[in-house]
Amino acid sequence: MLVLGIETSCDETAVGVVEDRLTLRANVIASQTELHAPFGGVVPEVAARAHLDQLLPTIDTALVQGGVHLSDIDAIAVTHGPGLVGALLVGVSAAKGLALAHDVPLLGVNHLRAHVEVAQLEFGDLDPPLVALVVSGGHTSIVVMDADGTFRQLGSTIDDAAGEAFDKIARFIGLPFPGGPEIDKLARDGDPTAFDFPRAMLHDGTYDLSLSGLKTAVIRDLRRMEAEGVEPDLADVAASFQEAIVDVQLIKTLRAAADEGLDQVVLAGGVAANSRLRARFTAECESNGQRLIVPSIPLCTDNGAMVAASGANLLAAGVTADVDLDVDPSLALTG
Ligand code: KG4
Ligand code: ZN
């Protein structure tokens, strides 16, 4: 069974092809980063227009990469939420057209679940129960995937998403958009203990996180140093900021795993590409005897393969969508 997956929820026009749920055949991304960079963030109108321009050529490239024809595809999967409404509409409309024209099932994929489920392409079928940290530009939550494959949210950010915090601090210190990978790079030359930035809500007994106080603390310290005529070492700032984000996510996620009695941990979403997050989780899970499942970096950031993989799971479960499939910009992970 071949499933084509279309991802247009934010600023990547991406198409993947997955065979028999577990085998990656193609994964092609037309990135819009350069279009949005001058604005320092994703401009929804610009994103939707670029998806319109890029989607059909990206589908063609993915079919060539996968060595398949459109007529070989057994189902069309598409992200229908969460995301930017105009951007989502481009993908969903195209997917409906393709499914109708080729008389194959349409599959409506939840972008956040797809971030978790993509791991099956590299680790084989997930074997729940497990705990997952889902960290992206618009989303940060700690969830449990129960033995029956359903998701249960334990906690989430009460303000900024992790990626949003990375992007905002990067912008403040003059790094290009998107800021997460830039902070990651800069932090490698910095001392993570140079600044003692706050780790909010660590001991509040919940699995919720808060990152806006951290962001404010970084900005306040930088402004204070500027006022004092002190030149900050930006690598130290980046490393200390990154360490604070990683600390809270690591501690809360592993506490959730322990409280739920789970010994498998999945990292998912764009921020799971962060080298320090990966290294800290790897070390901690190893010493706890927990199995860490973290996809390779191209499968952490937005991609079409994750949509095809999640869609293939829906197809296997017989959950297909109708032609009236709607976009849902605020679709919950558990929705
Ligand atoms: O999952 P994703 O590709 O798109 C959304 O669904 O939002 O996540 C994008 C986010 C951006 O905020 C980006 O800065 C962040 O992931 N990101 C990183 C890294 N690579 C991407 N954050 C920290 N370190 C990285 N290496
Ligand atoms: Zn994403």
Side-chain angles (χ1 to χ4, degrees):
M1 289 294 248
L2 287 169
V3 176
L4 180 105
I6 295 174
E7 161 57 40
T8 65
S9 68
C10 192
D11 60 344
E12 315 280 14
T13 313
V15 179
V17 177
V18 163
E19 182 174 3
D20 294 337
R21 294 184 47 252
L22 301 180
T23 305
L24 178 62
R25 288 286 289 262
N27 195 25
V28 177
I29 298 173
S31 177
Q32 303 178 5
T33 303
E34 279 179 23
L35 287 178
H36 300 289
F39 303 98
V42 177
V43 184
E45 270 302 304
V46 173
R49 280 169 193 273
H51 287 310
L52 267 179
D53 288 343
Q54 291 299 319
L55 185 52
L56 293 181
T58 308
I59 291 173
D60 286 343
T61 310
L63 291 170
V64 171
Q65 192 183 86
V68 293
H69 293 285
L70 207 41
S71 55
D72 302 325
I73 298 291
D74 296 295
I76 307 287
V78 63
T79 299
H80 76 112
L84 303 168
V85 64
L88 288 165
L89 273 168
V90 176
V92 168
S93 308
K96 285 180 184 175
L98 286 171
L100 276 174
H102 293 270
D103 194 23
V104 293
L106 176 69
L107 307 160
V109 167
N110 180 321
H111 180 88
L112 298 172
R113 284 181 192 221
H115 268 307
V116 177
E117 291 174 332
V118 72
Q120 74 195 37
L121 298 176
E122 292 178 328
F123 294 84
D125 265 324
L126 292 176
D127 183 19
L130 52 82
V131 69
L133 171 68
V134 185
V135 269
S136 69
H139 198 84
T140 292
S141 61
I142 297 170
V143 296
V144 169
M145 187 184 194
D146 279 311
D148 63 0
T150 56
F151 284 92
R152 193 158 46 89
Q153 180 155 308
L154 296 183
S156 66
T157 177
I158 60 165
D159 39 57
D160 291 349
E164 195 182 348
F166 269 106
D167 294 342
K168 283 180 180 167
I169 290 301
R171 190 169 166 181
F172 192 78
I173 62 179
L175 297 171
F177 169 84
E182 298 290 332
I183 297 246
D184 193 344
K185 243 184 283 166
L186 182 60
R188 281 172 208 166
D189 300 322
D191 173 4
T193 63
F195 294 84
D196 187 18
F197 292 134
R199 276 83 166 145
M201 296 172 66
L202 258 194
H203 305 291
D204 67 344
T206 75
Y207 304 109
D208 290 332
L209 309 110
S210 167
L211 296 175
S212 79
L214 166 62
K215 188 185 65 193
T216 310
V218 176
I219 292 173
R220 191 196 50 220
D221 276 13
L222 286 170
R223 289 210 169 117
R224 181 182 44 76
M225 283 187 278
E226 192 183 3
E228 290 168 354
V230 177
E231 187 73 36
D233 182 325
L234 292 180
D236 284 350
V237 174
S240 303
F241 162 73
Q242 176 175 269
E243 201 69 7
I245 291 204
V246 169
D247 266 348
V248 278
Q249 294 183 9
L250 178 83
I251 290 168
K252 289 234 163 179
T253 304
L254 295 189
R255 190 180 296 154
D259 292 350
E260 293 277 328
L262 302 175
D263 61 1
Q264 297 187 86
V265 179
V266 177
L267 300 184
V271 179
N274 183 268
S275 63
R276 187 72 181 150
L277 187 81
R278 297 167 81 92
R280 294 277 312 277
F281 266 92
T282 301
E284 203 67 27
C285 287
E286 201 177 303
S287 83
N288 295 345
Q290 291 157 319
R291 179 183 183 218
L292 180 67
I293 298 166
V294 50
S296 60
I297 289 172
L299 294 187
C300 285
T301 47
D302 285 352
N303 63 85
M306 70 190 216
V307 181
S310 183
N313 292 343
L314 290 173
L315 184 65
V319 184
T320 59
D322 293 326
V323 279
D324 63 356
L325 174 70
D326 218 345
V327 300
D328 185 347
S330 49
L331 185 65
L333 198 150
T334 48

